[in-house]
Amino acid sequence: MLGSGGREHALSWKLAQSPSLTKLYAAPGNPGIAEEAEVVSLDATDHDAVVAFCREHGIALVVIGPEAPLVDGLADSLNAVDIPVFGPSKAAAQLEGSKGFTKDLCAQADIPTGAYVRVHSLDLAVAALDGFKAPYVLKADGLAAGKGVVIAKDRTEAQAALADMFGGGFGQAGAQVVIEEFLEGEEASFFALTDGKTVLPFGTAQDHKQVGEGDTGPNTGGMGAYSPAPVLTPELQSRAMDELVRPTVAAMAGRSTPYSGVLYAGLMLTEDGPKLIEYNCRFGDPECQVLMMRFTGDLAAVMLACAKGELAGADADFADETALTVVMAAKGYPGTPEKGGAIALNDAEAEGAKVFHAGTREQDGALIANGGRVLNVTATGANVTQAKARAYAAVDKVDFPTGFCRRDIGWKEVAREGN
Ligand code: AMP
Ligand code: GLY
């Protein structure tokens, strides 16, 4: 397992429960992951070192948590020496690595998404705004740590954002820009596992991207999430599979760059049905945490089946309950977070809740904050209302004076449940 966040803690926790697992190593890991795996020091950007470690320890499957090593081709380096990997090749990870790539693929394969243009210079971008209405959706093409999307309310704001993108404000990610139609509706996330041919639905979730209550303030990596997302009805899930995910997997196979691993579709549920906002080539963080709370199968076995092209006939079973996670972040996030704050988990897990470590470190035997998003306090219940009450009861047991969290995770669904 490669990675060090809450997503990787949740994956390690589930992998450790896999009947087919014999030994789990994790790098670089975190104190939560260290309870599930032997943590080793290994740099995912050093492909030779990763390959050497896998050979030395007879690793049967490498699970790559975050997008950066996937877009960087780590799966290719491992596959080249026949080490199975859960996660796509560099070419297939372009579905997340280049927004323009994905939009072009959608256009060719007739996959529903917003109208768009790709532009390579500020002049062309400003001229292209004529073809769109406010609010303007502007996206730096490459990976920008979740910060590459600007929704500009008018032309002045759009031009300023474009000038920033082409001026290097998003580094290389902004050398190309996608301008896109603004889609109206509710957002939801749909996950599927694939080995390049077979596609297996793997749950739904909704997250809260904004830092403030009532979904206000700057965007973050996600302040909380719940699964399943009842807005994604069985009918909408079938449409997402038939109209988006299956055609995408088929188009990637048709280009001889088959996609394997998890495909995370960010959807807008519009009046005309689900439309693609974006693809990610890895699990969502913190959506993964709530999916793993509900997944009841052998995770190592299903991931290995993806890696080996043997997914046909596999199934993915999830408990028929809701899981909800609350992100406890360090003050300052999503700006510069305060590091080093003391954390005491106390008996937060006593009533069946689970605390995933996202940005923690151990110092002299004590737990301290070491990142923006620090803990993911997660609980299950019969519905969102109950899972939320249990998750916040656990949050309230945690002592983390330099931390904060939103108190309203799941609010839309709680309202729909009549509470
Ligand atoms: P992304 O990084 O692509 O997930 O975009 C960040 C956020 O911007 C999404 O979660 C949406 O809330 C919003 N967004 C992106 N594209 C669109 C669009 N075409 N229409 C409306 N909102 C969008
Ligand atoms: N929570 C959003 C993401 O992982 O992209």
Side-chain angles (χ1 to χ4, degrees), residues 99 103 114 137 139 146-149 151 180-184 187 209 219 268 276-278 280:
K99 300 202 184 276
K103 297 298 281 188
V137 181
K139 300 185 173 180
K147 298 191 176 104
V149 176
I151 315 265
E180 196 176 302
E181 174 193 358
F182 181 80
L183 299 172
E184 283 191 67
E187 281 183 66
K209 288 212 166 64
N219 265 349
M268 190 67 88
L276 185 73
I277 299 176
E278 61 162 359
N280 293 307

PDB file of all heavy atoms in Angstrom, residues 99 103 114 137 139 146-149 151 180-184 187 209 219 268 276-278 280, ligand 1:
ATOM      1  N   LYS A  99      -7.579  17.219 -17.944  1.00  0.00           N
ATOM      2  CA  LYS A  99      -9.023  17.454 -18.088  1.00  0.00           C
ATOM      3  C   LYS A  99      -9.405  17.522 -19.558  1.00  0.00           C
ATOM      4  O   LYS A  99     -10.474  17.048 -19.953  1.00  0.00           O
ATOM      5  CB  LYS A  99      -9.408  18.723 -17.342  1.00  0.00           C
ATOM      6  CG  LYS A  99      -9.073  18.615 -15.853  1.00  0.00           C
ATOM      7  CD  LYS A  99      -9.850  19.548 -14.990  1.00  0.00           C
ATOM      8  CE  LYS A  99      -9.429  19.480 -13.526  1.00  0.00           C
ATOM      9  NZ  LYS A  99     -10.047  18.436 -12.738  1.00  0.00           N
ATOM     10  N   LYS A 103     -12.217  15.362 -21.672  1.00  0.00           N
ATOM     11  CA  LYS A 103     -13.298  15.998 -22.425  1.00  0.00           C
ATOM     12  C   LYS A 103     -13.279  15.513 -23.882  1.00  0.00           C
ATOM     13  O   LYS A 103     -14.339  15.245 -24.459  1.00  0.00           O
ATOM     14  CB  LYS A 103     -13.158  17.524 -22.379  1.00  0.00           C
ATOM     15  CG  LYS A 103     -13.266  18.132 -20.993  1.00  0.00           C
ATOM     16  CD  LYS A 103     -14.594  17.926 -20.298  1.00  0.00           C
ATOM     17  CE  LYS A 103     -15.668  18.868 -20.774  1.00  0.00           C
ATOM     18  NZ  LYS A 103     -16.895  18.761 -19.928  1.00  0.00           N
ATOM     19  N   GLY A 114     -20.484  18.554 -19.896  1.00  0.00           N
ATOM     20  CA  GLY A 114     -20.716  19.922 -20.341  1.00  0.00           C
ATOM     21  C   GLY A 114     -19.954  20.237 -21.625  1.00  0.00           C
ATOM     22  O   GLY A 114     -18.872  19.681 -21.866  1.00  0.00           O
ATOM     23  N   VAL A 137     -16.834  28.301 -16.065  1.00  0.00           N
ATOM     24  CA  VAL A 137     -16.081  27.217 -15.407  1.00  0.00           C
ATOM     25  C   VAL A 137     -14.742  27.096 -16.121  1.00  0.00           C
ATOM     26  O   VAL A 137     -14.694  26.812 -17.319  1.00  0.00           O
ATOM     27  CB  VAL A 137     -16.847  25.879 -15.483  1.00  0.00           C
ATOM     28  CG1 VAL A 137     -16.062  24.781 -14.787  1.00  0.00           C
ATOM     29  CG2 VAL A 137     -18.235  26.022 -14.873  1.00  0.00           C
ATOM     30  N   LYS A 139     -10.810  25.479 -16.002  1.00  0.00           N
ATOM     31  CA  LYS A 139     -10.047  24.400 -15.368  1.00  0.00           C
ATOM     32  C   LYS A 139      -8.626  24.331 -15.922  1.00  0.00           C
ATOM     33  O   LYS A 139      -8.443  24.177 -17.137  1.00  0.00           O
ATOM     34  CB  LYS A 139     -10.729  23.050 -15.614  1.00  0.00           C
ATOM     35  CG  LYS A 139     -12.151  22.992 -15.062  1.00  0.00           C
ATOM     36  CD  LYS A 139     -12.772  21.618 -15.189  1.00  0.00           C
ATOM     37  CE  LYS A 139     -14.118  21.594 -14.477  1.00  0.00           C
ATOM     38  NZ  LYS A 139     -14.777  20.276 -14.559  1.00  0.00           N
ATOM     39  N   GLY A 146      -6.375  19.494  -6.532  1.00  0.00           N
ATOM     40  CA  GLY A 146      -7.769  19.841  -6.259  1.00  0.00           C
ATOM     41  C   GLY A 146      -8.062  21.337  -6.327  1.00  0.00           C
ATOM     42  O   GLY A 146      -9.156  21.768  -6.004  1.00  0.00           O
ATOM     43  N   LYS A 147      -7.072  22.132  -6.740  1.00  0.00           N
ATOM     44  CA  LYS A 147      -7.279  23.585  -6.714  1.00  0.00           C
ATOM     45  C   LYS A 147      -7.367  24.188  -8.114  1.00  0.00           C
ATOM     46  O   LYS A 147      -7.385  25.402  -8.270  1.00  0.00           O
ATOM     47  CB  LYS A 147      -6.131  24.248  -5.949  1.00  0.00           C
ATOM     48  CG  LYS A 147      -6.068  23.793  -4.501  1.00  0.00           C
ATOM     49  CD  LYS A 147      -5.108  24.636  -3.680  1.00  0.00           C
ATOM     50  CE  LYS A 147      -5.141  24.233  -2.223  1.00  0.00           C
ATOM     51  NZ  LYS A 147      -4.006  23.456  -1.788  1.00  0.00           N
ATOM     52  N   GLY A 148      -7.413  23.357  -9.141  1.00  0.00           N
ATOM     53  CA  GLY A 148      -7.301  23.866 -10.502  1.00  0.00           C
ATOM     54  C   GLY A 148      -8.594  24.322 -11.143  1.00  0.00           C
ATOM     55  O   GLY A 148      -8.605  24.650 -12.328  1.00  0.00           O
ATOM     56  N   VAL A 149      -9.709  24.350 -10.375  1.00  0.00           N
ATOM     57  CA  VAL A 149     -10.999  24.723 -10.968  1.00  0.00           C
ATOM     58  C   VAL A 149     -11.456  26.058 -10.403  1.00  0.00           C
ATOM     59  O   VAL A 149     -11.467  26.252  -9.194  1.00  0.00           O
ATOM     60  CB  VAL A 149     -12.066  23.646 -10.671  1.00  0.00           C
ATOM     61  CG1 VAL A 149     -13.429  24.065 -11.208  1.00  0.00           C
ATOM     62  CG2 VAL A 149     -11.648  22.315 -11.276  1.00  0.00           C
ATOM     63  N   ILE A 151     -14.713  28.785 -10.651  1.00  0.00           N
ATOM     64  CA  ILE A 151     -16.044  29.130 -11.158  1.00  0.00           C
ATOM     65  C   ILE A 151     -16.135  30.647 -11.020  1.00  0.00           C
ATOM     66  O   ILE A 151     -16.181  31.157  -9.898  1.00  0.00           O
ATOM     67  CB  ILE A 151     -17.161  28.444 -10.329  1.00  0.00           C
ATOM     68  CG1 ILE A 151     -16.832  26.971 -10.057  1.00  0.00           C
ATOM     69  CG2 ILE A 151     -18.533  28.669 -10.959  1.00  0.00           C
ATOM     70  CD1 ILE A 151     -17.374  25.953 -10.969  1.00  0.00           C
ATOM     71  N   GLU A 180     -15.562  25.473 -19.751  1.00  0.00           N
ATOM     72  CA  GLU A 180     -16.632  24.477 -19.766  1.00  0.00           C
ATOM     73  C   GLU A 180     -17.981  25.085 -19.406  1.00  0.00           C
ATOM     74  O   GLU A 180     -18.048  26.025 -18.615  1.00  0.00           O
ATOM     75  CB  GLU A 180     -16.244  23.448 -18.698  1.00  0.00           C
ATOM     76  CG  GLU A 180     -16.950  22.161 -18.756  1.00  0.00           C
ATOM     77  CD  GLU A 180     -16.380  21.219 -17.698  1.00  0.00           C
ATOM     78  OE1 GLU A 180     -15.172  20.926 -17.697  1.00  0.00           O
ATOM     79  OE2 GLU A 180     -17.172  20.792 -16.861  1.00  0.00           O
ATOM     80  N   GLU A 181     -19.005  24.517 -19.958  1.00  0.00           N
ATOM     81  CA  GLU A 181     -20.376  24.911 -19.629  1.00  0.00           C
ATOM     82  C   GLU A 181     -20.641  24.659 -18.137  1.00  0.00           C
ATOM     83  O   GLU A 181     -20.226  23.630 -17.599  1.00  0.00           O
ATOM     84  CB  GLU A 181     -21.314  24.038 -20.479  1.00  0.00           C
ATOM     85  CG  GLU A 181     -22.777  24.165 -20.201  1.00  0.00           C
ATOM     86  CD  GLU A 181     -23.589  23.031 -20.858  1.00  0.00           C
ATOM     87  OE1 GLU A 181     -22.998  22.185 -21.560  1.00  0.00           O
ATOM     88  OE2 GLU A 181     -24.802  23.007 -20.657  1.00  0.00           O
ATOM     89  N   PHE A 182     -21.330  25.580 -17.487  1.00  0.00           N
ATOM     90  CA  PHE A 182     -21.703  25.400 -16.084  1.00  0.00           C
ATOM     91  C   PHE A 182     -22.900  24.457 -16.010  1.00  0.00           C
ATOM     92  O   PHE A 182     -23.921  24.685 -16.647  1.00  0.00           O
ATOM     93  CB  PHE A 182     -22.055  26.759 -15.460  1.00  0.00           C
ATOM     94  CG  PHE A 182     -22.421  26.674 -14.014  1.00  0.00           C
ATOM     95  CD1 PHE A 182     -21.436  26.588 -13.044  1.00  0.00           C
ATOM     96  CD2 PHE A 182     -23.759  26.679 -13.611  1.00  0.00           C
ATOM     97  CE1 PHE A 182     -21.760  26.509 -11.694  1.00  0.00           C
ATOM     98  CE2 PHE A 182     -24.098  26.594 -12.262  1.00  0.00           C
ATOM     99  CZ  PHE A 182     -23.101  26.510 -11.309  1.00  0.00           C
ATOM    100  N   LEU A 183     -22.754  23.388 -15.253  1.00  0.00           N
ATOM    101  CA  LEU A 183     -23.825  22.398 -15.134  1.00  0.00           C
ATOM    102  C   LEU A 183     -24.592  22.640 -13.837  1.00  0.00           C
ATOM    103  O   LEU A 183     -23.981  22.859 -12.791  1.00  0.00           O
ATOM    104  CB  LEU A 183     -23.248  20.984 -15.107  1.00  0.00           C
ATOM    105  CG  LEU A 183     -22.457  20.553 -16.340  1.00  0.00           C
ATOM    106  CD1 LEU A 183     -21.782  19.206 -16.083  1.00  0.00           C
ATOM    107  CD2 LEU A 183     -23.377  20.461 -17.557  1.00  0.00           C
ATOM    108  N   GLU A 184     -25.915  22.567 -13.932  1.00  0.00           N
ATOM    109  CA  GLU A 184     -26.710  22.754 -12.717  1.00  0.00           C
ATOM    110  C   GLU A 184     -27.274  21.452 -12.230  1.00  0.00           C
ATOM    111  O   GLU A 184     -27.734  20.633 -13.020  1.00  0.00           O
ATOM    112  CB  GLU A 184     -27.845  23.735 -13.013  1.00  0.00           C
ATOM    113  CG  GLU A 184     -27.292  25.139 -13.049  1.00  0.00           C
ATOM    114  CD  GLU A 184     -28.360  26.191 -13.060  1.00  0.00           C
ATOM    115  OE1 GLU A 184     -29.062  26.314 -12.041  1.00  0.00           O
ATOM    116  OE2 GLU A 184     -28.471  26.872 -14.087  1.00  0.00           O
ATOM    117  N   GLU A 187     -24.376  17.336  -6.969  1.00  0.00           N
ATOM    118  CA  GLU A 187     -23.203  16.509  -7.286  1.00  0.00           C
ATOM    119  C   GLU A 187     -23.231  15.214  -6.497  1.00  0.00           C
ATOM    120  O   GLU A 187     -23.640  15.195  -5.332  1.00  0.00           O
ATOM    121  CB  GLU A 187     -21.927  17.253  -6.888  1.00  0.00           C
ATOM    122  CG  GLU A 187     -21.514  18.303  -7.860  1.00  0.00           C
ATOM    123  CD  GLU A 187     -20.207  18.951  -7.431  1.00  0.00           C
ATOM    124  OE1 GLU A 187     -19.164  18.271  -7.418  1.00  0.00           O
ATOM    125  OE2 GLU A 187     -20.261  20.141  -7.083  1.00  0.00           O
ATOM    126  N   LYS A 209     -17.152  19.625  -0.200  1.00  0.00           N
ATOM    127  CA  LYS A 209     -15.841  20.165  -0.595  1.00  0.00           C
ATOM    128  C   LYS A 209     -15.493  21.451   0.139  1.00  0.00           C
ATOM    129  O   LYS A 209     -14.333  21.741   0.359  1.00  0.00           O
ATOM    130  CB  LYS A 209     -15.831  20.439  -2.100  1.00  0.00           C
ATOM    131  CG  LYS A 209     -15.786  19.161  -2.921  1.00  0.00           C
ATOM    132  CD  LYS A 209     -15.032  19.351  -4.221  1.00  0.00           C
ATOM    133  CE  LYS A 209     -14.703  18.004  -4.855  1.00  0.00           C
ATOM    134  NZ  LYS A 209     -15.915  17.255  -5.241  1.00  0.00           N
ATOM    135  N   ASN A 219     -12.792  25.935  -1.314  1.00  0.00           N
ATOM    136  CA  ASN A 219     -12.790  24.487  -1.518  1.00  0.00           C
ATOM    137  C   ASN A 219     -11.630  23.835  -0.777  1.00  0.00           C
ATOM    138  O   ASN A 219     -10.567  24.416  -0.617  1.00  0.00           O
ATOM    139  CB  ASN A 219     -12.664  24.177  -3.007  1.00  0.00           C
ATOM    140  CG  ASN A 219     -14.006  23.951  -3.650  1.00  0.00           C
ATOM    141  OD1 ASN A 219     -15.020  23.818  -2.953  1.00  0.00           O
ATOM    142  ND2 ASN A 219     -14.043  23.896  -4.961  1.00  0.00           N
ATOM    143  N   MET A 268     -22.688  15.343 -12.128  1.00  0.00           N
ATOM    144  CA  MET A 268     -23.706  16.347 -11.852  1.00  0.00           C
ATOM    145  C   MET A 268     -25.033  15.725 -12.274  1.00  0.00           C
ATOM    146  O   MET A 268     -25.177  15.270 -13.421  1.00  0.00           O
ATOM    147  CB  MET A 268     -23.438  17.632 -12.649  1.00  0.00           C
ATOM    148  CG  MET A 268     -24.309  18.788 -12.217  1.00  0.00           C
ATOM    149  SD  MET A 268     -23.920  19.341 -10.542  1.00  0.00           S
ATOM    150  CE  MET A 268     -22.616  20.527 -10.871  1.00  0.00           C
ATOM    151  N   LEU A 276     -20.940  13.997 -16.660  1.00  0.00           N
ATOM    152  CA  LEU A 276     -19.621  13.894 -16.041  1.00  0.00           C
ATOM    153  C   LEU A 276     -19.059  15.273 -15.709  1.00  0.00           C
ATOM    154  O   LEU A 276     -18.977  16.142 -16.574  1.00  0.00           O
ATOM    155  CB  LEU A 276     -18.652  13.175 -16.988  1.00  0.00           C
ATOM    156  CG  LEU A 276     -17.280  12.916 -16.360  1.00  0.00           C
ATOM    157  CD1 LEU A 276     -17.367  11.808 -15.328  1.00  0.00           C
ATOM    158  CD2 LEU A 276     -16.250  12.584 -17.424  1.00  0.00           C
ATOM    159  N   ILE A 277     -18.650  15.469 -14.453  1.00  0.00           N
ATOM    160  CA  ILE A 277     -17.868  16.662 -14.086  1.00  0.00           C
ATOM    161  C   ILE A 277     -16.393  16.340 -14.264  1.00  0.00           C
ATOM    162  O   ILE A 277     -15.640  17.103 -14.844  1.00  0.00           O
ATOM    163  CB  ILE A 277     -18.141  17.106 -12.631  1.00  0.00           C
ATOM    164  CG1 ILE A 277     -19.605  17.461 -12.431  1.00  0.00           C
ATOM    165  CG2 ILE A 277     -17.247  18.295 -12.271  1.00  0.00           C
ATOM    166  CD1 ILE A 277     -19.948  17.818 -10.986  1.00  0.00           C
ATOM    167  N   GLU A 278     -15.995  15.207 -13.725  1.00  0.00           N
ATOM    168  CA  GLU A 278     -14.578  14.832 -13.830  1.00  0.00           C
ATOM    169  C   GLU A 278     -14.435  13.361 -13.494  1.00  0.00           C
ATOM    170  O   GLU A 278     -15.275  12.772 -12.820  1.00  0.00           O
ATOM    171  CB  GLU A 278     -13.728  15.637 -12.850  1.00  0.00           C
ATOM    172  CG  GLU A 278     -14.151  15.390 -11.408  1.00  0.00           C
ATOM    173  CD  GLU A 278     -13.134  15.784 -10.358  1.00  0.00           C
ATOM    174  OE1 GLU A 278     -12.046  16.251 -10.716  1.00  0.00           O
ATOM    175  OE2 GLU A 278     -13.436  15.586  -9.177  1.00  0.00           O
ATOM    176  N   ASN A 280     -11.636  10.692 -11.628  1.00  0.00           N
ATOM    177  CA  ASN A 280     -10.413  10.542 -10.848  1.00  0.00           C
ATOM    178  C   ASN A 280      -9.961   9.098 -10.985  1.00  0.00           C
ATOM    179  O   ASN A 280     -10.788   8.186 -11.128  1.00  0.00           O
ATOM    180  CB  ASN A 280     -10.656  10.880  -9.379  1.00  0.00           C
ATOM    181  CG  ASN A 280     -10.977  12.362  -9.202  1.00  0.00           C
ATOM    182  OD1 ASN A 280     -10.241  13.223  -9.659  1.00  0.00           O
ATOM    183  ND2 ASN A 280     -12.106  12.656  -8.580  1.00  0.00           N
TER     184      ASN A 280
HETATM  185  P1  AMP B   1     -13.292  19.263  -9.993  1.00  0.00           P
HETATM  186  O1  AMP B   1     -11.920  19.570  -9.427  1.00  0.00           O
HETATM  187  O2  AMP B   1     -13.338  19.015 -11.451  1.00  0.00           O
HETATM  188  O3  AMP B   1     -14.037  18.284  -9.131  1.00  0.00           O
HETATM  189  O4  AMP B   1     -14.127  20.595  -9.771  1.00  0.00           O
HETATM  190  C1  AMP B   1     -14.278  21.161  -8.490  1.00  0.00           C
HETATM  191  C2  AMP B   1     -15.705  21.544  -8.292  1.00  0.00           C
HETATM  192  O5  AMP B   1     -16.084  22.536  -9.229  1.00  0.00           O
HETATM  193  C3  AMP B   1     -16.679  20.408  -8.539  1.00  0.00           C
HETATM  194  O6  AMP B   1     -16.807  19.578  -7.442  1.00  0.00           O
HETATM  195  C4  AMP B   1     -17.935  21.170  -8.860  1.00  0.00           C
HETATM  196  O7  AMP B   1     -18.541  21.619  -7.653  1.00  0.00           O
HETATM  197  C5  AMP B   1     -17.440  22.374  -9.586  1.00  0.00           C
HETATM  198  N1  AMP B   1     -17.541  22.158 -11.045  1.00  0.00           N
HETATM  199  C6  AMP B   1     -16.617  21.633 -11.858  1.00  0.00           C
HETATM  200  N2  AMP B   1     -17.053  21.600 -13.136  1.00  0.00           N
HETATM  201  C7  AMP B   1     -18.292  22.135 -13.125  1.00  0.00           C
HETATM  202  C8  AMP B   1     -19.271  22.395 -14.130  1.00  0.00           C
HETATM  203  N3  AMP B   1     -19.058  22.127 -15.422  1.00  0.00           N
HETATM  204  N4  AMP B   1     -20.439  22.955 -13.743  1.00  0.00           N
HETATM  205  C9  AMP B   1     -20.672  23.257 -12.456  1.00  0.00           C
HETATM  206  N5  AMP B   1     -19.798  23.053 -11.457  1.00  0.00           N
HETATM  207  C10 AMP B   1     -18.608  22.491 -11.788  1.00  0.00           C
END
